[in-house]
Amino acid sequence: MRDLGTGFGYLLKGQRWAVGHGRWFGFGLIPGLITAVVYVGALIGLAYGADDLVDWATPFADDWSGAWLGLFRGFLVFLVFALGLLLAVLTFTAVTLLIGQPFYESLSEQVDKSVSPDGTAPESGLPLLRELWISARDSFRIVLRATAWAVLLFALGFIPILGQTAVPAIGFCVTGFFLTQELTSVALQRRRVEVREQLAMMRGRRLMIWGFGVPLVVSFLVPFVAIFLMPGAVAGATLMVRDLLGEDDEENEDASPGDPATVRLTVQDPDGR
C-alpha cells in the first residue's frame, strides 16, 4: 500500500515543480488549451446531435407509447453522452501529448536537468519528425487498448449492482493506468524505452501507478482542471520515471558523500528545483 502514497507523492511533487517554475507552467498550458477547445466543441456537438443519433439507431421503438419511448431513448441519449465523456477523458491526455509533444518534451527535459547531479537530461538522439511519429504510433496503440476497456466496462455497467459499484471503481483504475502511461511516455521515449517495455514496467508497480493516475483522473472530471494540472502531471511523471528506472539510486551510488554532485542533489531533491 505504500506504493499508493508514493505515486500520489510524485503527483504532488510534479505540481509543486510546475508552480515553482512559472515560465514552464505557462508554457505547458498551451497544448491543453488547444485540446480543450477541440473537445468542448465535440462534446457540444454530441449533446445536440445525440437525440438524432439515438432516433436513427432505434427505429424499432417508433411505435412504442410516449412514456416508454421517452424513457428508453432518454436513457440511451444519456449513455451515449456518458460514453463520449468517458472517451474524452481517456483520450484527452493522448491527444494533448500528441499536440504538445514539443512542449512537454522540453518541459520533461527541464525537470530531468533540475534534479540531475550534472544538470543533464537523457536524449533520444532521434530527429523531431521521427519522435512525433513514434509518439503518434504509440498513442494510437494505447488509445485502442483504452477504448477496448471502455467498451467492455460500458457493457458491464448494465449488470445490476456490479455495474453500479465495482465497474466504476475498475474504470477509474483502468483509466488511471493508461493516463499515467501516456504521461510517463514523454520521459520514457527520450530514454528509448518501447511501449511494450513501458507497459511491462508499469504493471510491476501497479499500486504506484494507480496512486499517481487515479487521483488525476478524478480531478480531470472537473471541467478545465486537466488544462492546469497537465504541466505538473508531466513533471511528476518524469520524476516517477526516474524512480521506475532506478536512476536516482544509481546517481546516489555513483556520488561519494564529499562529491559536489551529492550536495547539489540534496539541495534540489525536495521540490525538484
Side-chain angles (χ1 to χ4, degrees):
M1 294 298 290
R2 188 176 66 178
D3 265 359
L4 283 173
T6 302
F8 186 65
Y10 280 120
L11 180 60
L12 294 180
K13 286 180 180 180
Q15 299 305 322
R16 286 201 301 267
W17 189 96
V19 172
H21 296 75
R23 183 172 70 88
W24 287 101
F25 176 71
F27 186 71
L29 290 178
I30 298 174
L33 290 170
I34 296 172
T35 308
V37 170
V38 174
Y39 271 53
V40 168
L43 288 173
I44 290 174
L46 179 62
Y48 277 103
D51 286 337
D52 293 334
L53 177 63
V54 169
D55 291 346
W56 171 82
T58 58
F60 58 85
D62 288 341
D63 297 330
W64 291 10
S65 63
W68 284 110
L69 178 62
L71 284 173
F72 175 68
R73 284 183 169 167
F75 178 66
L76 288 182
V77 167
F78 170 78
L79 287 181
V80 167
F81 187 79
L83 180 59
L85 187 61
L86 176 61
L87 288 176
V89 172
L90 285 170
T91 61
F92 180 87
T93 304
V95 174
T96 302
L97 287 172
L98 182 59
I99 293 174
Q101 177 70 17
F103 296 86
Y104 295 137
E105 181 75 21
S106 298
L107 191 153
S108 175
E109 186 175 336
Q110 186 64 30
V111 174
D112 266 323
K113 289 179 179 178
S114 71
V115 298
S116 174
D118 57 5
T120 62
E123 296 181 1
S124 67
L126 298 174
L128 177 60
L129 289 179
R130 176 65 177 168
E131 288 187 350
L132 289 174
W133 161 247
I134 293 174
S135 178
R137 180 198 64 191
D138 292 348
S139 293
F140 180 71
R141 291 174 178 174
I142 295 300
V143 167
L144 283 181
R145 291 170 182 259
T147 301
W149 272 100
V151 172
L152 174 62
L153 292 173
F154 179 74
L156 292 176
F158 289 98
I159 300 176
I161 302 177
L162 180 68
Q164 292 74 48
T165 54
V167 171
I170 295 172
F172 277 115
C173 291
V174 170
T175 306
F177 182 91
F178 285 117
L179 177 62
T180 306
Q181 191 282 328
E182 287 288 346
L183 290 166
T184 54
S185 68
V186 178
L188 288 170
Q189 186 176 316
R190 281 191 292 108
R191 291 161 168 81
R192 305 289 290 272
V193 180
E194 295 292 331
V195 66
R196 290 183 180 178
E197 296 173 323
Q198 295 176 23
L199 292 171
M201 184 189 310
M202 292 172 64
R203 290 189 190 108
R205 300 289 297 275
R206 279 191 178 92
L207 288 179
M208 186 171 76
I209 300 306
W210 288 336
F212 184 94
V214 173
L216 202 55
V217 170
V218 173
S219 64
F220 278 13
L221 294 177
V222 181
F224 304 112
V225 166
I227 300 171
F228 297 98
L229 292 185
M230 276 296 289
V234 173
T238 302
L239 295 173
M240 187 163 63
V241 163
R242 298 178 65 84
D243 183 348
L244 287 169
L245 297 178
E247 291 179 354
D248 289 334
D249 293 338
E250 292 174 3
E251 288 166 354
N252 284 328
E253 289 173 3
D254 291 341
S256 62
D259 192 331
T262 306
V263 177
R264 182 179 177 186
L265 182 61
T266 304
V267 174
Q268 290 179 335
D269 260 355
D271 292 320
R273 300 175 188 172

